[in-house]
Amino acid sequence: MGVRGASVLVVGAGLAGLAAAWDLHLMGARVLVIDARDRVGGRVWTVGDAFVESQHAEAGGDMIDEAHREIRTLAADVGLTLTRILRHGFGAVRLDRAGRPRTVHSGARHGWARLAHALAPVIRPYCLAEQRWDSPIASALARKSVADWLDEIAADADLRATADGLRGFFLADPDELSLLALVDQFAAGDAPAPGAMYRIEGGNDRLPRALACRLGDRVRLRTELVALSQRGPGVRATVRDWRGTSTCTGDYAVITLPLTVLRRIPISPGLPAQQREAIAAVPYGRATKTLLQFRRPFWRRPGRLRAFGSPLDIGAVWDANEEQHGPGGILALLAGGSASDATAAITRSGGAAALAGRLQWLGRDRSELVGSRQAGWTADRWARGGYAFFPTGFDPALRAWLARPCGRLFFAGEHTSIRWQGYMNGAVESGRRAAAEIACA
Ligand SMILES: Cc1cc2nc3c(=O)[nH]c(=O)nc-3n(C[C@H](O)[C@H](O)[C@H](O)COP(=O)(O)OP(=O)(O)OC[C@H]3O[C@@H](n4cnc5c(N)ncnc54)[C@H](O)[C@@H]3O)c2cc1C
């Protein structure tokens, strides 16, 4: 394939950008990766400095599923080991009659199975359309919100609580999320967090760091893309770094920026109207992830689950470092959609201790909080949200435009993946796909 000797500018040193750059480099291309942050990894961010006993936890992408083949292969290729985590899967939290949270031992699977059963009549036509987003069936599903559908089927409180709990997965509330997004997830045959789950030993950011290390000075940090043009024979990028504004050129560019950032960047000549419309129309879910380190992991008890989906303001809760040594333990709280706003408000008024105080249902008062870190992804300038979600009213036929090359510009990133959108695996796969597309160009 004809990429040997070609120069490729890769914008973004998250998993998508680094995976693309690594494949292109191996194919003999001359790559330059730029990223506005002072670290690689983007939304993969392993935090260690907030915790004692050399423990760490993931402030962004955390769990790798059994089926996430691309990221697992890439990790193995660079010599990293995956550790199995949360062997007993997810349980659920429900409010009792007095409004107090209680763990439900039938587990989240029961809730997801009920949701799957209720969705079956709408999943069937969608599967007949082979899950295509350009069919009238997808359009009809996209016009409805999950909340509309729950009303339509007169869903009971338990089913609604399961749907609310999915804020920790889709990062969107039932009234924001299109029914199509939910149907698509369940039609794929896997409820959230299926099968075995893994983390990279030593931290997920070891993968982007390992790729960046191999790419050496081909990765340039603190360098922001401000404009892009593809007039003439190649691509010309205007970038800003500590020295001021300058220009980078290349034969091709791979753009992996989150859509929230991409839509602010002038591109000339302009992209096709539908592509611009698609880039403008996809929101990113509000997301706040809090990591709480306790002197003792009071929640680790024989026979007890260590991960819970929840409709609570603090979001989903799980053990963030059971695979690590030391007497302490870290919990991750992932609050999506309106739970993200609620978590931020709780933190403003009472700090991390106020969030820890909402964990009584896990037996909280038995251990001391010794460290914490909160990542507010909505306010993060280079992400502006957790990950993409498809809102009610989004025209599904536009989705394909997110991944479509335009001239010498190739697009990758979690948001461009069909099967693994919102996952680290989707980012890696999309980067590798963009590299392969350039090789065919
Ligand atoms: C809270 C949270 C929890 C998650 N949990 C999971 C999970 O458990 N499992 C899972 O598989 N996935 C999870 N994800 C999703 C996963 O982290 C992402 O899908 C994936 O990391 C996205 O990679 P990317 O390369 O597409 O984008 P990014 O990682 O966002 O990379 C894009 C890069 O572009 C850079 N950039 C932005 N603007 C500019 C600019 N103007 N110029 C130059 N560079 C710029 C950014 O700094 C960034 O490094 C989670 C995400 C979040 C936020």
Side-chain angles (χ1 to χ4, degrees), residues 344-392:
I346 296 167
T347 315
R348 272 195 303 277
S349 63
L355 292 171
R358 297 199 174 210
L359 292 167
Q360 277 94 349
W361 52 274
L362 267 178
R364 145 83 192 105
D365 34 26
R366 295 180 204 167
S367 184
E368 185 193 340
L369 186 65
V370 290
S372 70
R373 175 61 62 84
Q374 189 167 77
W377 289 98
T378 320
D380 180 295
R381 189 173 164 203
W382 309 117
R384 298 176 182 268
Y387 37 84
F389 75 90
F390 293 97
T392 316

Side-chain angles (χ1 to χ4, degrees), residues 112-305:
W112 294 332
R114 281 203 64 208
L115 204 50
H117 181 74
L119 283 169
V122 276
I123 288 178
R124 164 87 182 140
Y126 181 61
C127 287
L128 286 174
E130 297 179 276
Q131 305 178 24
R132 284 199 318 269
W133 279 40
D134 59 358
S135 77
I137 292 165
S139 299
L141 290 169
R143 283 195 290 274
K144 237 179 245 180
S145 70
V146 172
D148 294 336
W149 170 74
L150 289 167
D151 288 344
E152 216 171 87
I153 63 163
D156 60 23
D158 184 59
L159 207 56
R160 287 174 190 274
T162 300
D164 277 345
L166 288 176
R167 288 184 302 196
F169 180 73
F170 289 106
L171 307 182
D173 286 28
D175 63 344
E176 298 169 315
L177 186 68
S178 115
L179 177 58
L180 176 60
L182 185 68
V183 165
D184 187 63
Q185 181 67 36
F186 279 80
D190 42 23
M197 292 178 276
Y198 303 86
R199 282 187 192 113
I200 295 175
E201 207 173 274
N204 287 345
D205 75 347
R206 288 184 72 199
L207 178 55
R209 286 195 290 115
L211 293 169
C213 181
R214 282 162 174 74
L215 289 163
D217 60 7
R218 297 174 190 87
V219 180
R220 207 186 287 170
L221 297 178
R222 297 187 193 88
T223 305
E224 176 193 354
L225 176 75
V226 290
L228 201 54
S229 108
Q230 53 169 342
R231 291 186 209 283
V235 173
R236 180 187 276 279
T238 308
V239 302
R240 191 160 43 214
D241 64 13
W242 56 274
R243 288 168 302 209
T245 302
S246 59
T247 302
C248 294
T249 55
D251 296 316
Y252 304 100
V254 179
I255 316 294
T256 72
L257 305 182
L259 295 171
T260 45
V261 181
L262 178 59
R263 52 188 168 242
R264 293 160 176 257
I265 291 179
I267 300 181
S268 62
L271 300 173
Q274 284 152 302
Q275 194 155 21
R276 275 185 280 133
E277 204 184 326
I279 290 169
V282 178
Y284 276 44
R286 288 159 288 162
T288 304
K289 191 164 178 187
T290 312
L291 304 168
L292 301 174
Q293 187 185 35
F294 293 92
R295 192 160 300 287
R296 278 181 308 107
F298 56 88
W299 59 92
R300 289 181 202 156
R301 278 186 271 148
R304 271 205 80 152
L305 294 174

Side-chain angles (χ1 to χ4, degrees), residues 324-339:
Q324 295 167 29
H325 298 296
I330 303 176
L331 284 175
L333 279 52
L334 175 54
S338 56

